[in-house]
Each structure stands twice: as C-alpha cells, then as structure tokens.
Amino acid sequence: MQCYRLGTYRRAATTDNGGRHVAVMRFLSGEFFLDKKANGGTVVLKRSLWVTFLVYLVAFPLKVVTDPESVWGTLSLRGFLGDLHDTAPWAGAVFAGAYAAFYARFSSQWAYLAGLYNQILQAELAVEPDQKERIEVWWVGFIEDALELHLATKPMFAAVIRHLLTKPGVRKEFENGVPGGKWRLPELQIAVDAVAMETEKKWEAEVAKKGRKTTTSSSVPNLPT
C-alpha cells in the first residue's frame, strides 16, 4: 500500500475491498452530506438525523420481533403506536449522542485548522526572505488539511485559501506536491471564488438593508414632547 504525504495527514491508496469499506462507512455516517457543503452546524444536524434514522430503522424492528408482548403476530395500529411510543426515547438518545460526537469532532477540527494557520503565520513573519519557499510548502499543507477536513469552503478559511492561491509559489507547490493537484487546483479556485462572491453579495444585501432601515428611521418626524 502506497502512502502520500499531504500536509499533516497521510492518504493511502486503498484496494477495492478497502474502497468498498470506505464507501459503506461514508453511507452509514452520512459523510456524503459533506460532498456539497462544508462541515458545520447544518451538516452536523443532517448527519445526526441520518444516523438516528438508520439506528432506529434497525432497532425498532428488533424490538418488535424480540418482545413477546409486541404487535408481532397480532398486527394492530394501537399496538404499533404503543411500540412507537415506547421506543421514541431511543431515537432521542441516539440523536443526542450522534450530535455531540459530530459537533465535538467539527469543533476540534476547526480549532486545529485555526491553530495551524496562526502557527504558519507566525513562522512566516519570523523566517528570512530566502526561506519563504519552506513556508509555501507549509501553506500547501494547510490547504490540503482544509480540504481533508471539509472546511475549505467555510467563508473564513475560503478567504485565506483564495489569498494563498494568488501566490505563484503556493500554486506551483500544490500542483506538484499534492496528488492530483493539477486537476484539483482549478476546482478549488472555482469553489473559493464562489464562496467569496456569495459572501460579498450577502454583505452587500445586509448593508443595503441596514441603509434602508437608517433612511426610514431618519424620515420619521420627531414627536412633540
């Protein structure tokens, strides 16, 4: 099995069986929600609901089949609703556990990436000009970690990555040092540009909204005292 150095992580080329196992785990854990949206509160909620649904989908029939007093064999709406009522707390417990686990992981990944950014920035300010190439390699590792952690398109990190991609040395190192970098770089550029445009439109609308409120409030005549 061949391993590649990617930032502070290692990615391994897997066999077909390993690929199937990864696909199954992605499905069960709801990791596919991260394919189109960066990790965050919304994704954590979706993954928690998904895991709860899968666990309950297995646990409820098992309870019905193994409980001698259940509706199994004597199907009735009343009995079904009774079993549903009895097992509802299970769903709550599973959801709470899944949400806590997913959010804790997201929080630790966010803290790690933010800490890594600060470390690289401090190192960049301290190194000599002729050692900037080493920092560029480190920045590429930061970008790759952001991609691996599904945080590259969060507005805060996307702005940093977009700025880094304006540096020729970083772009060159990404293309040459990251597996598939030559093909991944254009996609990454499009993604962070889209986030920047979306963020800009959001703030533009927010400023316009505040401007209308200010205009409206200023046009209200003063009431007599």
Side-chain angles (χ1 to χ4, degrees):
M1 184 164 56
Q2 187 177 5
C3 294
Y4 304 97
R5 180 66 177 171
L6 296 178
T8 56
Y9 283 78
R10 291 186 181 274
R11 173 179 291 171
T14 59
T15 62
D16 291 341
N17 289 334
R20 294 192 190 97
H21 294 158
V22 170
V24 171
M25 292 305 299
R26 275 175 51 84
F27 175 78
L28 294 178
S29 65
E31 192 174 342
F32 54 85
F33 287 114
L34 294 164
D35 291 341
K36 295 184 178 180
K37 190 173 181 63
N39 200 4
T42 302
V43 172
V44 167
L45 178 62
K46 289 181 178 180
R47 295 182 72 184
S48 301
L49 290 172
W50 173 252
V51 170
T52 302
F53 169 74
L54 291 181
V55 172
Y56 194 76
L57 194 64
V58 174
F60 181 75
L62 283 177
K63 190 267 182 189
V64 172
V65 171
T66 57
D67 187 355
E69 298 181 358
S70 70
V71 299
W72 187 255
T74 56
L75 296 178
S76 68
L77 179 60
R78 183 181 181 85
F80 174 78
L81 293 177
D83 283 336
L84 201 62
H85 178 270
D86 293 340
T87 57
W90 298 1
V94 173
F95 175 80
Y99 189 90
F102 285 135
Y103 194 86
R105 185 178 182 185
F106 159 68
S107 180
S108 64
Q109 290 172 342
W110 181 285
Y112 158 75
L113 201 59
L116 179 61
Y117 169 77
N118 290 328
Q119 289 179 0
I120 301 175
L121 201 59
Q122 290 176 357
E124 186 176 40
L125 296 174
V127 299
E128 299 296 331
D130 58 346
Q131 296 180 333
K132 291 293 184 181
E133 185 177 349
R134 297 181 181 180
I135 300 298
E136 290 174 348
V137 174
W138 205 352
W139 280 127
V140 171
F142 168 83
I143 296 173
E144 183 61 18
D145 283 350
L147 289 169
E148 289 293 312
L149 299 178
H150 304 285
L151 294 173
T153 54
K154 296 294 283 186
M156 185 179 79
F157 295 120
V160 174
I161 294 173
R162 190 168 185 244
H163 171 70
L164 291 174
L165 293 182
T166 62
K167 301 181 179 182
V170 173
R171 296 183 68 91
K172 181 179 179 181
E173 185 62 35
F174 189 93
E175 290 180 345
N176 298 332
V178 175
K182 186 181 298 185
W183 294 274
R184 296 170 68 186
L185 184 59
E187 293 184 357
L188 176 61
Q189 185 72 68
I190 292 172
V192 294
D193 286 345
V195 173
M197 292 179 61
E198 182 180 351
T199 304
E200 185 175 350
K201 289 180 179 179
K202 176 183 176 181
W203 281 107
E204 184 179 356
E206 189 70 21
V207 170
K209 183 179 179 181
K210 290 181 178 179
R212 287 195 298 271
K213 286 184 177 180
T214 303
T215 304
T216 303
S217 60
S218 62
S219 62
V220 176
N222 294 327
L223 297 176
T225 57

